[in-house]
Amino acid sequence: MDTGSAEAWRLKLLTPSSWWGAKWREALPAGNGRLGAAVYGGVHQETIMLTHGDLWWQSRTPELPDVSGRLAEMRRLMLAGREAEAEPMLIQELQDLGYDPVMAVPLPLGDLTIRYEVGEGFKHYSRELDMQTGEITVRWQDRGAAFERALFVSRSDDMVVMELRAEEPSAVKVGLSLGLHDPADVKRPPGRPEAPLPTDAESGADGSYVWYAARSDDGSDFGAVARVIPAEESLIADKAEAVVEGAGKVLVLLRMFVSGSREAEWARLKAELAAEQRGYRELLAAHVREHRELFGRMTLDLHAAGRDRSNEELLLETYQGEAPLALLEKMWAYGRYLLISSSREGGSPCHLYGLWCGEYRGFWAFNMANENLQMMYWQTLSGRMPELLLPVFDYMERLLDDFRLNAQRLFGCRGIFIPAPTAPDSGLIKTLAPHIVHWTGAAGWVAQHYYDYYLYTGEREFLRNRALPFLREVALFYEDFFVVGEDGRLLSCPSNSPENKPGNGAGGPKGTTVNATMDFAIAKEVLGRLVAGAESEGLYPGEIAAWKELLRRIPDYQVNEDGAIREWMHPAYDDEYHHRHQSHLYPVFPGKEVTKENAPALFEAFWTAVRKRLVVGIKEQTGWSLAHMANLYARLGEGDLALECLNLLSRSSVINNFFTLHNDWRHMGIGLSMDWAPVQLDANMGWTAAVQEMLLYSEPGRLKILPALPSKWRRGRVQGLLACGGIEVDIDWDLERKMLVVKLLSAKADQHVTIDLPEGCEAAEDDTIRQESVKMEAPSGPKQKPEVRSLLKAGKAVILTAAFGTPVG
């Protein structure tokens, strides 16, 4: 992105939060991976919603009964075609034994409220997020004078920092208070019961501090303390509110706590804040050094016009047909910003609301591993932020004992079973629904992130001590769960293809089936990688033969009469295209098993299945499924179709602060028709991943440059992409000038790579390439792509130049 244009990094709004009954949904978000702040942007009364990644509540975790004895009978019924009888068996047994769990949800910590005096009424209003720094600024004019508030959540000092400013030296006249997150700011979905509220809320203030605490349902206190520092001595304590009169500038420093005794925690935080002597600029500089180092590792510049336009203006243009390049750039950067702001080493994974859930019983506010958790982190490796995956691994390993118990007591298996939805309170199965209890793919899908982390970073210690042991846990489950059918091939039963069910009405009423294609696609990936990794590291010599035998018995992928890959490897089940999930396409994306080069006929069948989903099932899509489909089309090399998915997403499920929602609540015909549209930031982050998929594909030893470049992206520059093998990739292209420049840097090791250039490129002619690589001639034919083979030496950049023979698009 053009670093000379500061507007490229900014989101600008000309309106405050305005979502009726739930203004937190349109707030501007700030976070340091653990602490969150959401800025509503009010003038007379401003709200800063405060959140903490470790604050969850409303959990109930009884002992999980052993129902594995019912599995054999369930399987007998299913294989006899009596799935409707079999489907409820495990769930009914759990309920009959009194198992009644409740999954925890994130609890908003509280609100910082700022009450301003208003004179003539505001003019020239704006609120703005600088994604490069994480700073949010609200500006307006009143009585002819300029006012502004600036806020960030410090990554270096673990506190919220805010400054109130006025153009006139003594114009700041405000009251500041802390309290419970406003229950009136919580809008429930239709039919949902009112959520309980924390108890024993208490607020106070004195000459320099404002404080607050409330009690969670586990009996512990949570809350915050803010230190108020006016530039002039003009602070007055008025019961629970601190009043500043006649200052030109006010600094506010705020810290939170999530458990303990309020009196002790207030005293501790006051002492910590009292010791802080730095001003706003010094604190901001320390934070920006850490935030920008992450955010700035990768940049994207599509030479967009109109980057200074507001979010509202960009969305209005999008509604007329296509998302402008400026919106595409900003949405790519925003997905990156949101993940950085809500995920960090030592914390918890980013859940569906990021850090900014303003509900007391958040709708789908958990870690969902049948698509959504994975999508949030797809961007991390190619976006050169691998350390952001570490919270995912830490989370999974903290809950391993629960996952083992699930496997034992549900299915009588060794290894691990990860339920699709989990929360930090427990890894036990808590959602008693067939599509959750009968879907066994979560652990294997999470394992993909483990092994990919190794492939991109080359960290062998991680491979030996974390990745391979986790994959082995998944394999142990497969050894015990899969059974051998009469044809000698494996059967997966019970099975589910999230969250779909066959189109011909076969299977259980809620989608319980035999042999969902995704089950075996994931198993094939896990077992293949486990064998390769164990053999390379000399681990598990007595177990490798069993894994190879499982691989040999996995059924082949099947194609239906439409030429599309079948979603179930069983003749009883017909495909259902009208659905948002595309689980059976796993071997193409997010897996890399099937490519156009290694299996062209099979690749075409996957392509057909993707097209059917969008063409036939557009009303069944969601925000996240359109993001997933954009990634799929990018992997298929269809850049224009990938871009069309992002256009559809931007017109249907993006709101003014650029948060993505699960569905279009306005009933515009794109996506599911629901009366409630939950916040789901997976589509934000899936958007970022899709853009990166369009620009680079990598597997060990091979890179594809601009594999799915949309025809309308005529020129651009991307810096800092990461490929397998720890290769840093910069790409500069201009289709009008027929120019392509690629810079490759292997950070850690010498390695040979094959580089596929885009269609239409002529042979490379760079001196560096001639000296250090073997150049391949471009194959004949308009659709063939030339290759370059190169030796990359550690720490030494290779620059490849190429020319497009004819203008593309």
Side-chain angles (χ1 to χ4, degrees), residues 508-535:
K510 300 295 184 181
T512 303
T513 57
V514 178
N515 282 17
T517 296
M518 186 189 211
D519 288 358
F520 290 124
I522 292 175
K524 189 183 294 188
E525 179 183 74
V526 168
L527 293 166
R529 287 176 157 191
L530 183 55
V531 168
E535 288 182 337

Side-chain angles (χ1 to χ4, degrees), residues 464-699:
R464 291 179 62 88
N465 297 328
R466 300 188 73 174
L468 291 176
F470 188 88
L471 267 66
R472 179 177 175 271
E473 293 278 356
V474 182
L476 288 172
F477 179 83
Y478 288 148
E479 286 184 53
D480 293 349
F481 180 78
F482 290 148
V483 294
V484 179
E486 293 179 356
D487 61 356
R489 296 300 186 99
L490 297 180
L491 291 172
S492 179
C493 176
S495 183
N496 176 270
S497 191
E499 296 167 6
N500 202 2
K501 57 185 180 181
N504 60 341
K510 300 295 184 181
T512 303
T513 57
V514 178
N515 282 17
T517 296
M518 186 189 211
D519 288 358
F520 290 124
I522 292 175
K524 189 183 294 188
E525 179 183 74
V526 168
L527 293 166
R529 287 176 157 191
L530 183 55
V531 168
E535 288 182 337
S536 72
E537 296 299 312
L539 296 176
Y540 317 127
E543 301 177 65
I544 292 175
W547 300 333
K548 288 183 176 179
E549 180 63 13
L550 283 177
L551 279 168
R552 187 184 70 81
R553 291 182 181 274
I554 289 177
D556 296 330
Y557 299 122
Q558 300 172 17
V559 179
N560 67 19
E561 61 276 8
D562 295 328
I565 207 74
R566 285 176 57 89
E567 191 160 352
W568 293 272
M569 295 178 176
H570 192 284
Y573 311 124
D574 290 347
D575 285 290
E576 171 57 85
Y577 300 129
H578 297 80
H579 204 263
R580 60 200 177 277
H581 277 268
Q582 301 111 24
S583 307
H584 56 310
L585 308 179
Y586 188 97
V588 169
F589 179 87
K592 297 177 181 178
E593 177 192 351
V594 175
T595 68
K596 191 173 185 177
E597 293 77 18
N598 68 17
L602 198 56
F603 185 83
E604 182 67 21
F606 280 99
W607 200 107
T608 300
V610 178
R611 183 174 53 198
K612 287 282 187 181
R613 275 296 206 265
L614 186 58
V615 173
V616 177
I618 191 170
K619 289 183 68 177
E620 281 71 36
Q621 300 304 315
T622 61
W624 62 260
S625 74
L626 287 167
H628 187 137
M629 194 169 291
N631 280 274
L632 270 166
Y633 275 127
R635 186 64 61 85
L636 291 164
E638 299 290 339
D640 286 341
L641 291 172
L643 182 57
E644 176 59 17
C645 290
L646 298 184
N647 282 325
L648 289 168
L649 169 57
S650 63
R651 295 202 300 274
S652 63
S653 299
V654 177
I655 56 177
N656 284 359
N657 65 347
F658 283 178
F659 270 8
T660 52
L661 306 183
H662 173 267
N663 56 279
D664 186 348
W665 69 107
R666 303 161 301 187
H667 305 291
M668 299 294 283
I670 302 173
L672 295 175
S673 291
M674 292 173 54
D675 291 330
W676 184 247
V679 169
Q680 285 195 206
L681 302 188
D682 47 0
N684 280 109
M685 301 174 200
W687 181 304
T688 303
V691 170
Q692 292 164 200
E693 280 285 340
M694 296 180 208
L695 300 174
L696 178 69
Y697 168 87
S698 75
E699 59 187 53

Side-chain angles (χ1 to χ4, degrees), residues 211-245:
W211 58 85
Y212 146 79
R215 186 151 294 135
S216 186
D217 57 351
D218 65 359
S220 66
D221 290 337
F222 63 90
V225 174
R227 181 184 173 196
V228 184
I229 311 169
E232 296 84 14
E233 294 296 330
S234 55
L235 186 67
I236 304 169
D238 182 12
K239 297 180 181 178
E241 184 178 60
V243 179
V244 178
E245 294 187 350

Side-chain angles (χ1 to χ4, degrees), residues 174-341:
V174 297
L176 299 97
S177 60
L178 280 165
L180 198 68
H181 176 58
D182 186 0
D185 195 42
V186 176
K187 186 176 175 64
R188 301 191 308 279
R192 299 271 291 192
E194 187 171 349
L197 297 176
T199 59
D200 300 310
E202 180 182 359
S203 302
D206 63 17
S208 299
Y209 297 92
V210 181
W211 58 85
Y212 146 79
R215 186 151 294 135
S216 186
D217 57 351
D218 65 359
S220 66
D221 290 337
F222 63 90
V225 174
R227 181 184 173 196
V228 184
I229 311 169
E232 296 84 14
E233 294 296 330
S234 55
L235 186 67
I236 304 169
D238 182 12
K239 297 180 181 178
E241 184 178 60
V243 179
V244 178
E245 294 187 350
K249 188 180 295 185
V250 180
L251 177 65
V252 180
L253 309 177
L254 183 145
R255 283 194 165 153
M256 311 177 201
F257 67 96
V258 297
S259 65
S261 165
R262 63 185 66 190
E263 296 290 348
E265 292 300 311
W266 287 339
R268 178 179 66 85
L269 294 183
K270 285 181 183 180
E272 290 177 4
L273 294 171
E276 181 57 68
Q277 300 301 312
R278 289 170 293 176
Y280 184 89
R281 292 299 162 194
E282 292 174 280
L283 291 164
L284 178 63
H287 159 72
V288 168
R289 278 193 294 273
E290 290 193 24
H291 178 90
R292 182 181 282 159
E293 194 281 325
L294 265 174
F295 184 80
R297 287 183 196 170
M298 182 182 168
T299 60
L300 172 68
D301 180 4
L302 297 178
H303 298 277
R307 289 172 177 161
D308 58 343
R309 286 184 293 171
S310 69
N311 288 19
E312 296 96 337
E313 292 169 313
L314 292 170
L315 280 174
L316 286 173
E317 181 177 337
T318 301
Y319 294 158
Q320 301 309 306
E322 296 181 347
L325 288 177
L327 183 140
L328 292 166
E329 286 181 342
K330 289 173 187 285
M331 285 291 289
W332 167 80
Y334 197 36
R336 185 176 181 87
Y337 169 83
L338 290 171
L339 189 59
I340 290 171
S341 299

Side-chain angles (χ1 to χ4, degrees), residues 64-72 74-75 78 86-87 89-91 94 402-420 429 433-442 476-483 492-496 512-513 519:
L64 178 64
D66 189 339
V67 298
S68 61
R70 301 286 283 161
L71 183 61
M74 180 184 184
R75 282 177 168 162
M78 292 194 64
E87 185 176 73
M89 289 180 66
L90 296 182
I91 295 168
L94 287 168
D402 285 348
F403 298 154
R404 293 186 183 112
L405 202 62
N406 289 332
Q408 294 165 12
R409 296 192 177 180
L410 292 176
F411 304 111
C413 296
R414 296 169 298 161
I416 57 175
F417 171 83
I418 299 179
I429 185 84
H435 70 284
I436 302 299
V437 176
H438 302 150
W439 184 64
T440 59
L476 288 172
F477 179 83
Y478 288 148
E479 286 184 53
D480 293 349
F481 180 78
F482 290 148
V483 294
S492 179
C493 176
S495 183
N496 176 270
T512 303
T513 57
D519 288 358

Side-chain angles (χ1 to χ4, degrees), residues 696-774:
L696 178 69
Y697 168 87
S698 75
E699 59 187 53
R702 181 176 290 272
L703 309 180
K704 295 181 182 179
I705 305 300
L706 304 182
L709 185 70
S711 58
K712 294 188 177 181
W713 293 7
R714 307 303 294 176
R715 61 188 181 123
R717 187 179 190 186
V718 59
Q719 295 179 296
L721 282 163
L722 186 67
C724 286
I727 302 169
E728 297 171 18
V729 182
D730 299 344
I731 308 170
D732 197 347
W733 74 93
D734 189 323
L735 302 186
E736 304 303 332
R737 296 170 55 203
K738 305 180 185 179
M739 175 274 292
L740 174 67
V741 178
V742 181
K743 179 182 176 182
L744 306 173
L745 176 65
S746 178
K748 297 181 180 179
D750 294 355
Q751 55 187 304
H752 289 275
V753 295
T754 297
I755 303 136
D756 292 355
L757 300 176
E759 292 175 6
C761 272
E762 296 176 351
E765 293 293 345
D766 188 83
D767 287 342
T768 309
I769 292 294
R770 280 203 297 268
Q771 293 168 12
E772 300 191 11
S773 69
V774 179

